[in-house]
Amino acid sequence: MTFARVAGVGSYLPSNRVLNDDLVARGVDTNDEWIVARTGIKARHLAEAGQTSSDLGLIAAQRALEMAGVAAEQLDLIIVATSTPDFIFPSTACLLQGRLGNKGAVAFDVQAVCSGFVYALSIAEKFIKSGTHKRALVIGAEVFSRILDWNDRGTCVLFGDGAGAVVLEAADKPGILATALHADGAHHGILSVPGNVAGGKVTGDPFLRMDGQAVFKFAVRVLAEVAHECCEQAQVAPAEIDWLIPHQANIRIIEATARKMGLPMDKVIVTVDQHGNTSAASVPLALDAAVRDGRIRHGQKVMLEGVGGGFTWGAVLLEF
Ligand code: ACO
């Protein structure tokens, strides 16, 4: 039987680090105390004008390939999770394939907003387990700063830009122990960018809109449910999880999820304080940070979780 295991991780944050007080200085009607108390966010990184998701994803991908000892031409699958692609088409995955110098691999984007990376990783695992593909590059890359209304203090303080990547390889033992994905389109209205481009003009509203309290309640419920679902599938008790990496949207959502899982916060990887919410990049950014600083070690069980617009949600339980 073929399994899929993580062979390398990487990430990249734009160099422009913006503190809460810097937002105040730019004219956002907010303050550090409010943002920290409600969200836990102290800083986020913002892309330069013209810096795209594929620019950020390229560096994250190169770092993951280097750790895995895999050359770009050896990849047979490239999946990019993003809601802020460089273009309407071609996909950011194809752009990255070209920039990495790979030819012939399957390449496509996944659009599941903040669950995108967990969706993409689960899809890559299914390709590898089926036996058709052997080496996948899975990237979450976002420039959410482009779709924020900087006059809406209820949303613009929450997000940041960045990218994270994983190389997934075929192996004779797991690897990925369980995956669970879900969506419920009835809730599309509580978090969306309800606009598009038609006839050369923006139609609708091109900015992120959110009902914060509805999102909060929904996220806390489904993150706990899907983590338990993955544990049951893999026959792993929550207490056996070494590290929980939930989507990094808000420290209060993260703490509530850990509490519902019966896990202490010292088993939870938290980067939201330094990165803000980077949507599909948040989970691989946190994974890379904890692997590179030595907290996550080989053989440990790690639960990755996403939840986002759609609504979509999902989890991946893996042995690193
Ligand atoms: N700075 C200062 N005051 C603010 C700010 C701000 N940035 N934003 C809102 N306020 C004010 C409001 O105007 C309001 O003032 P009022 O009482 O005088 O009318 C007050 O703060 C309370 O506003 P609410 O919107 O009710 O604040 P709430 O307690 O719901 O907190 C928050 C808002 C932090 C967004 C919360 O709802 C939340 O965490 N929701 C989860 C959403 C989330 O994390 N989304 C991320 C994307 S979704 C995802 O990734 C799954």
Side-chain angles (χ1 to χ4, degrees):
M1 188 160 174
T2 306
F3 299 96
R5 61 171 278 275
V6 174
V9 294
S11 68
Y12 178 71
L13 290 161
S15 56
N16 182 22
R17 182 166 180 265
V18 177
L19 301 172
N20 294 339
D21 284 338
D22 297 328
L23 295 179
V24 177
R26 286 172 174 214
V28 180
D29 179 17
T30 189
N31 58 78
D32 182 57
E33 295 73 32
W34 191 97
I35 300 173
V36 173
R38 304 279 176 129
T39 72
I41 298 168
K42 296 175 184 155
R44 77 284 293 142
H45 291 248
L46 299 182
E48 301 299 330
Q51 202 174 20
T52 63
S53 287
S54 74
D55 292 329
L56 308 185
L58 179 66
I59 301 172
Q62 287 166 336
R63 290 176 176 170
L65 288 166
E66 190 186 356
M67 184 186 282
V70 168
E73 51 269 31
Q74 292 177 282
L75 296 168
D76 50 18
L77 175 63
I78 299 170
I79 310 180
V80 175
T82 186
S83 299
T84 47
D86 292 23
F87 302 127
I88 290 176
F89 73 80
S91 68
T92 305
C94 283
L95 296 176
L96 274 172
Q97 177 178 35
R99 294 177 73 176
L100 286 165
N102 173 279
K103 288 190 192 298
V106 177
F108 60 92
D109 287 1
V110 165
Q111 160 58 294
V113 202
C114 304
S115 312
F117 182 78
V118 165
Y119 262 62
L121 195 63
S122 305
I123 295 165
E125 188 232 12
K126 289 178 202 310
F127 268 79
I128 289 175
K129 260 174 105 171
S130 77
T132 58
H133 291 71
K134 295 208 168 345
R135 272 189 205 93
L137 175 63
V138 182
I139 301 166
E142 301 279 18
V143 283
F144 255 53
S145 57
R146 303 277 153 74
I147 53 169
L148 298 177
D149 176 354
W150 290 97
N151 294 313
D152 177 7
R153 66 179 183 171
T155 54
C156 72
V157 302
L158 303 175
F159 296 90
D161 302 329
V166 157
V167 174
L168 204 63
E169 275 188 332
D172 50 16
K173 61 179 180 116
I176 291 184
L177 305 172
T179 65
L181 301 177
H182 297 284
D184 183 350
H187 302 282
H188 68 273
I190 61 174
L191 179 60
S192 64
V193 180
N196 211 322
V197 175
K201 295 198 179 88
V202 172
T203 59
D205 181 351
F207 294 119
L208 184 149
R209 303 298 176 199
M210 178 179 77
D211 174 345
Q213 286 173 15
V215 167
F216 191 98
K217 284 185 205 137
F218 195 94
V220 169
R221 178 172 64 79
V222 298
L223 284 174
E225 277 175 13
V226 79
H228 279 115
E229 183 184 344
C230 251
C231 282
E232 270 170 38
Q233 217 188 95
Q235 299 284 295
V236 168
E240 292 176 69
I241 295 171
D242 295 294
W243 297 104
L244 178 67
I245 308 186
H247 171 47
Q248 306 284 315
N250 181 312
I251 192 65
R252 294 184 303 144
I253 295 177
I254 294 172
E255 285 170 350
T257 304
R259 221 171 17 250
K260 285 192 166 198
M261 294 288 298
L263 291 174
M265 280 304 287
D266 60 10
K267 285 189 163 197
V268 183
I269 307 295
V270 175
T271 52
V272 69
D273 55 332
Q274 297 303 321
H275 300 172
N277 181 348
T278 57
S279 189
S282 93
V283 168
L285 268 162
L287 174 65
D288 183 53
V291 168
R292 286 183 192 262
D293 70 18
R295 275 177 292 172
I296 296 181
R297 296 190 305 277
H298 283 293
Q300 290 190 322
K301 290 186 176 57
V302 184
M303 175 76 80
L304 311 178
E305 289 194 278
V307 58
F311 243 70
T312 59
W313 64 102
V316 173
L317 179 61
L318 59 86
E319 196 169 295
F320 188 72

